[in-house]
Amino acid sequence: MANITKKVSWSSRADESGATGEGTPLLNGSEQPRHSRQLSEGRSIFQIGRLSTVDLEEEITSEEDSLRGRPKEIPHNEKLLSLKFESLDYDNIENQLFLEEERRMSYMGFRCLEISRWVVCGLIGFLTGLIACFIDIAVEELAGFKYQVVKENIEKFTEVGGLSISLILWAVLNSAIVMIGAIIVAFFEPIAAGSGIPQIKCYLNGVKIPRVVRLKTLVVKVCGVICSVVGGLAVGKEGPMIHSGAVVAAGVSQGRSTSLKRDFKIFEYFRRDTEKRDFVSAGAAAGVSAAFGAPVGGVLFSLEEGASFWNQMLTWRIFFASMISTFTLNFFLSIYHNKTGDLSSPGLINFGRFESDSVAYNLYEIPLFIAMGAIGKSYFILFFTRYVHRPCLQVMEAMLVAAVTATVSFTMIYFSNDCQPLGPEHTEEYPLQLFCADGEYNSMATAFFNTPERSVRSLFHNQPDTYNPLTLGLFTLTYFFLACWTYGLAVSAGVFIPSLLIGAAWGRLFGRLLAAITSSGSIWADPGKYALIGAAAQLGGIVRMTLSLTVIMVEATGNVTYGLPIMLVLMTAKIVGDYFVEGLYDIHIKLQSVPFLHWEAPATSHWLTAREVMSSPVTCLNRIEKVGTIVDTLSNTSTNHNGFPVVVQVTGSDEPAKLCGLILRSQLIVLLKHKVFVELARSRLTQRKLQLKDFRDAYPRFPPIQSIHVSQDERECMMDLTEFMNATPYTVPQETSLPRVFKLFRALGLRHLVVVDDENRVVGLVTRKDLARYHLGKHGLEELQLAQT
């Protein structure tokens, strides 16, 4: 087939570094950046010319040459990256103020700061455990009341007829409860929808998601997840605990609440992105620990999302927060269950211990486990894309799903004839007899007529003959489609437990079939064992986590014997799944157009250099700049600069200006707010020197430039940026390879990486969106090539 010319015209998107439609990545390096200089009010603002299109073809036929002038866009190019997402400054800004403060601090001062970090982590773990305890008790009480009312109603009308009334009651109760949860999410805080794990992954990755760690978000998340679980949706309460822990960490570590406008004047040193990120990592780990009773798994979960930022002391602090979280939950739940001091409820979900000899596995079963891991991937093919965006319609959609879930559940129970004897050792919380004989209960009701956590445990530990194959097969298919439909609703809900429940159902079915086709199946093919492996395969195929999920599953089951099978299953599910499609969280992030960066650069990117992915034009400021120029630059609505290289020109020399520092938009706004002008400093006998506290007080919600009033006379003043700029920004030559740029950017937590020439002159700027845009553009090009072939 003849080669097809393809041109990618990048849509105009602002970035941390530069103008709208900032430097298009030049993928084949066939053009060189242009250099230009613009004059404004007699002062210089240096800009580097940008590239508008990218030629992605090496060979061009004569027939295709006529199409060169018509650029073809990558599919979904208009949503390549979203303007509402900015990067976080994970790299400390080492200006003169920062260095002076650090040098003034004594050894005892640093020790006090370290103690404060441990105190904050302890508070994070304690509060996260309390929130988990509140959610668990609320769900148990409310769900217990609902199921008891419906159970009594079903038992009443089973004998006299009129079970349709029971169905209506169940559907109405579900819809009413879910309606409350959907209203507070859709109308008050939409960011609280879902589990929140994708948003926290983005935050730890270095992306600022608006409103993701607000107090209001926490309140809505907690109340919303209670309503979602009690309302009978195919969701779990464990995922939102990770988000809740992160919000708690972000609030406690700052020593104030911007939502409540209360400042407790504590922990002021931690009011910057670097410190806040570390505590959010601890909060996410504490959430995992509270959800699954897996403190080590919580640490590894945070480690997988922020590995390049970690050090030994931070790891210990995060582990400390995780242990405090699970201990707090344990302690208060023991009081709730009237067993004070009995710390046997380590998390919101307890899989129970797999201690029986009948669930030991043999070497010849490992290939079966690996095959189950590959099967777990295949279930992650279908999910529903949401086109409902109006809040009122989102609430109605959630109510509809709740009503349909109740109807489907009731129908499945009604037509099921899987009756099991109700022995003295039964663990069913709300057994339904329905049309079964006396002393028996409906097995289908055990799966549907219960909270998902209890259903998972029953699939793991009930007797081998508790569920017949038909019941397991119908439940797996039905619950799978309900879970797919439920995901994406405007409710607070997690996907962990539905995935475990689906996997446990088909895993138990797999074990039953093995036992049926082998003569000695009853000896080694225990359904509970295969339910555990199926749950791990299903969850791994959806979330694509390996190390942390392995430890979480091992800790939750309390048996390290299954460590190897679970690890093999999760690795298989990830490898096979990644070959076909990305994980659910990654797809969610991509649909939101978030500039998310993976840990490694693309494997085939060594032939690209910094020059070919950098942003241009780049607005540069002089070391001593006119106030009017700065105000105009920040007020320009056609640009969205957040980082400005600072340049200096040798007096009396015709040489171009050279890089001497980097300053952020937020810093310039604080300087303008406090009117740190050269002329005013000279005219005053005494002037309070600006300190880092002034920048920390404005963090994280720096005022917009429109709120800063600068008079006409003040516009003619000068501003000296020397003391406030980062005098040692990270720079790379323009010929640096893309993998090296990528490693520097990710490992150091950078927001801006300045690209310079041989004479230290600014030629471009690499930002998170530049690297993310290259990755998405490359992927989009492959889609375009596939579509045209």
Side-chain angles (χ1 to χ4, degrees), residues 424-461:
E425 71 282 354
H426 77 90
T427 59
E428 285 68 28
E429 188 74 15
Y430 308 102
L432 282 178
Q433 181 180 354
L434 211 59
F435 301 114
C436 295
D438 291 341
E440 295 182 340
Y441 70 97
N442 189 299
S443 183
M444 182 71 79
T446 304
F448 274 113
F449 198 70
N450 229 323
T451 59
E453 290 83 1
R454 293 187 181 275
S455 298
V456 169
R457 186 164 182 172
S458 67
L459 288 170
F460 283 169
H461 296 287

Side-chain angles (χ1 to χ4, degrees), residues 624-695:
I624 301 179
E625 189 61 88
K626 182 181 290 187
V627 173
T629 300
I630 295 176
V631 172
D632 292 340
T633 302
L634 299 181
S635 303
N636 190 349
T637 57
S638 64
T639 62
N640 190 29
H641 297 63
N642 281 297
F644 304 89
V646 181
V647 296
V648 61
Q649 191 163 10
V650 180
T651 305
S653 174
D654 294 333
E655 294 184 4
K658 297 183 179 181
L659 177 70
C660 67
L662 181 75
I663 195 164
L664 301 178
R665 168 184 287 265
S666 57
Q667 294 176 290
L668 292 173
I669 287 178
V670 173
L671 296 179
L672 290 172
K673 179 181 179 181
H674 290 273
K675 301 188 183 302
V676 185
F677 307 148
V678 174
E679 287 77 6
L680 294 180
R682 293 173 180 172
S683 62
R684 297 173 183 172
L685 294 177
T686 59
Q687 179 190 27
R688 185 182 72 86
K689 183 180 179 181
L690 208 62
Q691 300 176 350
L692 279 182
K693 184 180 185 302
D694 298 297
F695 294 92

